[in-house]
Structures are given as C-alpha cells and as structure tokens.
C-alpha cells in the first residue's frame, strides 16, 4: 500500500499547477511494475473466506481478526483502484478487478463500482473497452475451463463443451447486465461508448 501511495505522490500530477520544476521527480510505472502490483492485489485481495480462515492459524473464532483482515484487503484494493482512477496504472489493468465484481460484491462491491464510475467519467471509450476485456477474460476462463485459476474448480477434460445453463455462464450474463446498467439510461451521452462495445 505504501508503494501505491508513493506512485500517487510522484505521479504526473506532481507538475500540475505551475510546478514544472518538479518534473525530474515524476515517476511513471512501467508495464512490469504495473503487472506486479496487479498480481499482488489479485493474490492478496480476492481470496476465498476458506483460504483466509486457514491462514488465521486456527483462530477461526476471532471475528475481530476477520474484520481487520477484510479492512486491510479493502484498503489495498482502494489504493490500487486509486492508481487506475488517476491514470497512473493503465485502465486495462482494471479488467482483472472488474471481473470479480459479482463474486466479491459484498466485500468489495462499493470500491469496484466507484472505480468503474470514475474510470467511465475519465474516458468512456477506454472504460467500455476495459469492461469488454473483463468479460472476455472471464469467457476465456470458462471456455478453456482453466477453472483453478478462475473459479477454484478442477479443469474439464479435453473435448468438454460449454454448458450455457451453467452457473459460470449465468455469472457472465449477470456481470454483463450489471456493466450495462452502469452506463445509465441517457442513450445520447453513452452512444459512443456503447457503439464501441458493439
């Protein structure tokens, strides 16, 4: 989380407001650092409750520890989301965050929804492309049935086909419906972004 704060401080916004003399202090994270940050967030934020309970070293009854751990994960996600909102980390990195919107709605839904809203305000077209990337990533996981990485299930054997009535496909449909609702009802304002989706 400290790294996220440092990237915010030394971002391109450091030179705004006539402070061009601070340009040598500006640091833009490269793709490698952005991917490392994203992987860290994915590994430490989007974990199942069962995984968390096992890492609590047998202290399953301590509700305060569970709440504290959730609070830390929420802060970590919020710090990374802030990097996306302020265009320090490329917006397509948010696709990996957005695809968890439904599964972790109770824990992080407000943070993901706010990130989605702010990125849409920043660049509607890029946000629409990021939403499509998120849905594509989830579809690839379902089609390839690389379930251990996507859904914590064993992979299907070769020659397996897609069951359109499965919970995973229904989840993709529900996520797409929720994404569509975020564009709002004013079709004139969202025409270009929706056209990009098609």
């Amino acid at each position: 989380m400290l790294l996220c704060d440092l990237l915010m401080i030394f971002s391109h916004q450091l030179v705004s407001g006539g402070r061009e003399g601070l340009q040598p202090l500006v640091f833009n994270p490269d793709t490698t650092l952005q991917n490392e940050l994203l992987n860290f967030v994915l590994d430490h934020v989007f974990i199942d409750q069962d995984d968390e309970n096992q890492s609590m070293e047998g202290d399953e009854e301590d509700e305060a520890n569970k709440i504290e751990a959730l609070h830390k994960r929420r802060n970590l996600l919020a710090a990374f989301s802030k990097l996306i909102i302020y265009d320090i980390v490329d917006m397509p990195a948010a696709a990996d965050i957005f695809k968890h919107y439904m599964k972790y709605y109770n824990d992080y839904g407000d943070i993901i929804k706010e990130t989605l809203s702010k990125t849409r305000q920043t660049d509607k077209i890029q946000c629409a492309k990021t939403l499509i990337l998120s849905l594509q990533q989830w579809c690839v996981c379902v089609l390839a049935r690389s379930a251990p990485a996507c859904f914590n299930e064993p992979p299907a054997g070769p020659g397996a086909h897609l069951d359109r009535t499965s919970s995973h496909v229904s989840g993709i449909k529900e996520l797409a419906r929720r994404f569509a609702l975020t564009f709002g009802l004013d079709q004139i304002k969202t025409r270009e972004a929706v056209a990009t989706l098609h």
Side-chain angles (χ1 to χ4, degrees), residues 40-56:
F40 183 84
V41 168
L42 293 175
D43 291 344
H44 291 86
V45 172
F46 298 107
I47 56 173
D48 289 330
Q49 193 70 21
D50 296 336
D51 294 342
E52 178 188 339
N53 288 343
Q54 291 174 358
S55 66
M56 298 290 277

Side-chain angles (χ1 to χ4, degrees), residues 27-162:
F27 178 77
N28 295 316
D30 61 358
T31 306
T32 306
L33 179 57
Q34 291 181 28
N35 288 334
E36 288 293 324
L37 282 169
L38 176 62
N39 289 332
F40 183 84
V41 168
L42 293 175
D43 291 344
H44 291 86
V45 172
F46 298 107
I47 56 173
D48 289 330
Q49 193 70 21
D50 296 336
D51 294 342
E52 178 188 339
N53 288 343
Q54 291 174 358
S55 66
M56 298 290 277
E57 298 177 6
D59 196 15
E60 298 174 2
E61 301 300 319
D62 193 1
E63 194 68 30
N65 285 341
K66 291 179 184 178
I67 292 171
E68 182 65 26
L70 176 62
H71 182 67
K72 287 179 181 179
R73 292 192 311 270
R74 285 178 54 84
N75 284 339
L76 184 60
L77 179 61
F80 184 75
S81 295
K82 195 177 356 174
L83 294 177
I84 294 168
I85 291 169
Y86 287 103
D87 198 27
I88 297 165
V89 171
D90 296 332
M91 197 180 299
D96 288 310
I97 304 295
F98 293 160
K99 72 180 180 184
H100 294 289
Y101 182 59
M102 295 299 299
K103 184 175 181 181
Y104 294 96
Y105 183 79
N106 290 335
D107 293 338
Y108 314 115
D110 57 331
I111 297 170
I112 296 172
K113 187 175 181 180
E114 187 65 21
T115 303
L116 180 58
S117 173
K118 295 291 186 181
T119 54
R120 190 179 59 248
Q121 289 173 6
T122 303
D123 187 350
K124 289 180 183 176
I125 304 298
Q126 187 62 35
C127 181
K129 290 178 181 178
T130 302
L131 292 177
I132 288 297
L133 179 61
S134 179
L135 291 171
Q136 285 174 337
Q137 288 174 350
W138 202 3
C139 284
V140 166
C141 285
V142 170
L143 289 173
R145 298 295 293 191
S146 59
C150 302
F151 304 109
N152 296 326
E153 293 180 6
H161 67 284
L162 179 65

Side-chain angles (χ1 to χ4, degrees), residues 124-126 128-129 132 190-198:
K124 289 180 183 176
I125 304 298
Q126 187 62 35
K129 290 178 181 178
I132 288 297
T190 61
R191 178 179 298 163
E192 192 176 354
V194 172
T196 301
L197 293 176
H198 294 284

Side-chain angles (χ1 to χ4, degrees), residues 2-17:
L2 180 62
L3 181 57
C4 292
D5 292 338
L6 286 173
L7 288 173
M8 280 294 298
I9 292 169
F10 294 105
S11 70
H12 55 84
Q13 297 174 358
L14 184 65
V15 295
S16 64

